[in-house]
Structure formats: C-alpha cells, structure tokens
Amino acid sequence: MIQELVDLKKSILNGRYEEALAIVDELEGMSKQAIIRNIETFLVRLLIHLIKNQVEQRLINSWVASIVDSIRQIKKLNLKDNKTSYYIKQDEWIEFLQDAFEGAIAPASTEIEQGKYNPIKLKQLINKDEVIQAAQSFLDLTYLYSSEELPDIIYQKLALLPGGDEWLNQ
C-alpha cells in the first residue's frame, strides 16, 4: 500500500489525474478486501459456536459472549464510513456463510466434546442449512438494530437455540 501512495502522490504532482484516480480505485478495493477478510474471521467464530451449540445441544456463557461480540464486530466492520451503506448487503451473505462454514468445521471439531469428532465426522453430524440459517438470522439483526440495542435482541434470539432456555434461566 505504501508504494500505491507514493505513486498516487507522483501522479497528482505530475498532473496525471486519470492515473491518480485509478490508484485511488485500487486503494479502495484493497481497503474493502481487508474489511471483508476481518468480517470473515468473525463469521467463522460465529459459526464455530453455532456448530457447537447444534452438536452439544447446550449454550454456555462463553459461547454467548463470543456470538454477541462476533455479531457486534461484524456490524461495525460492515457499515461503511458514510453510516448509510454496507460492504455486504443483507441479501449477499450466503456465499460468505458457505465459505465461513467450511472454515469453521476444523476448529469446531477440536472444541466439541474435547475433540471427540474429527472434521469429517463432525460435518456429517451437522445440519449445515440450519447453522447457516441461524447465522443469517443473527446477521439480519445488524441491519435492523443499533449497536446499543443489538446485545439484548441477540440474547432473546439465543434463548431460542438448543439449550438456550436453560442458559437464560441460569
């Protein structure tokens, strides 16, 4: 990125504005890719906990904290600086979720019941569509609620997951 900034400065100083605009476009693309990579990291973390919940049929405070934080971070990262538009629109998540699901299997396999299932066996046990649908429903909340409202809404939704009722009444 440093080289692009140097090139941008030279282009502006030399009056090559078309070249400068092309560099600005390239920098914008690089920035968007970095933000999307960060979002994908939080998606994987979210899916790991949703997979664990589905397999173990329980919900614990550390998972809840991780799920809530993942969704809040995704909301923050996804909202563009103009505060009115998003990097990933509400109807564009499925590809990202499909990819993140694949990235979540191996780490989830190490955490579920002390690594009882290898990734292949774990993948056979999971209803992928249900996990992705649950994740999508949490992501939908990021378009509807403010950062301040979001945690309480997520807690309500978590109570509907397997073991959520027991977690809520702890």
Side-chain angles (χ1 to χ4, degrees), residues 123-142:
K123 203 169 180 180
Q124 294 168 351
L125 294 173
I126 299 167
N127 183 327
K128 179 180 179 179
D129 292 337
E130 280 183 14
V131 171
I132 288 177
Q133 183 180 6
Q136 179 70 59
S137 71
F138 283 115
L139 293 169
D140 288 344
L141 300 174
T142 67

Side-chain angles (χ1 to χ4, degrees), residues 11 58 64 69 77 116 122 161 168:
S11 295
R58 66 189 182 112
V64 168
D69 184 59
L77 289 166
K116 179 178 177 181
L122 179 60
L161 292 177
L168 189 62

